[in-house]
Amino acid sequence: MAEEEPKPLNYIPEVILKKRKSNEEWAIRRKEQLEQRMRKSKGDNFTIKKPEQFIREYRDKELGKYGIVGMEDIVNEVATVGHHFKEVSHFLCPFNTQRARKGIAGKEKAF
């Protein structure tokens, strides 16, 4: 057998080696983030509720103990200043309610 001459090693610049290492680290980190996101989305039973559904559930929970079931009961409590007016007004505070501008004003002109 003939003696083979040792082949010179290919020279790879240090910049390229660092770039490869950082790309590999980035890929591993990104893969872990995606796996965490998938686990989180599969594990949670969180559902996005429509605003109407949220208000309905909140109203039933907060005002149901006072016997106020629907919007008619809320309007009646506010209009007649009923027994649970304070609770209803506290319930309506987060909602930006405004006074009636034209409904109660009546006629402006005599004729």
Side-chain angles (χ1 to χ4, degrees):
M1 298 216 159
E3 288 186 26
E4 296 180 16
E5 291 184 26
K7 295 181 181 178
L9 297 175
N10 293 335
Y11 174 74
I12 300 174
E14 186 178 356
V15 175
I16 294 175
L17 293 174
K18 287 183 178 179
K19 184 74 171 171
R20 283 184 190 170
K21 184 177 180 182
S22 66
N23 284 344
E24 289 172 358
E25 290 173 353
W26 179 83
I28 291 170
R29 210 170 348 149
R30 180 71 176 146
K31 186 178 179 182
E32 289 174 357
Q33 288 175 351
L34 290 173
E35 288 174 356
Q36 287 177 354
R37 191 179 305 155
M38 291 302 291
R39 271 188 260 122
K40 185 178 178 183
S41 66
K42 288 181 182 177
D44 291 345
N45 292 331
F46 179 74
T47 56
I48 298 175
K49 296 181 180 181
K50 295 181 180 178
E52 296 86 13
Q53 181 184 6
F54 174 76
I55 291 171
R56 199 174 311 118
E57 289 177 6
Y58 182 74
R59 181 181 63 220
D60 292 344
K61 185 175 102 177
E62 291 296 315
L63 298 177
K65 51 189 164 190
Y66 303 113
I68 299 171
V69 181
M71 288 302 294
E72 296 84 15
D73 295 335
I74 293 174
V75 171
N76 185 33
E77 286 292 322
V78 171
T80 61
V81 189
H83 297 293
H84 302 292
F85 175 79
K86 184 176 181 181
E87 289 83 6
V88 171
S89 64
H90 283 295
F91 170 76
L92 293 175
C93 281
F95 307 108
N96 294 327
T97 54
Q98 297 178 353
R99 62 180 176 80
R101 293 186 179 151
K102 293 185 179 180
I104 302 176
K107 292 186 177 181
E108 294 178 9
K109 297 180 183 178
F111 298 101

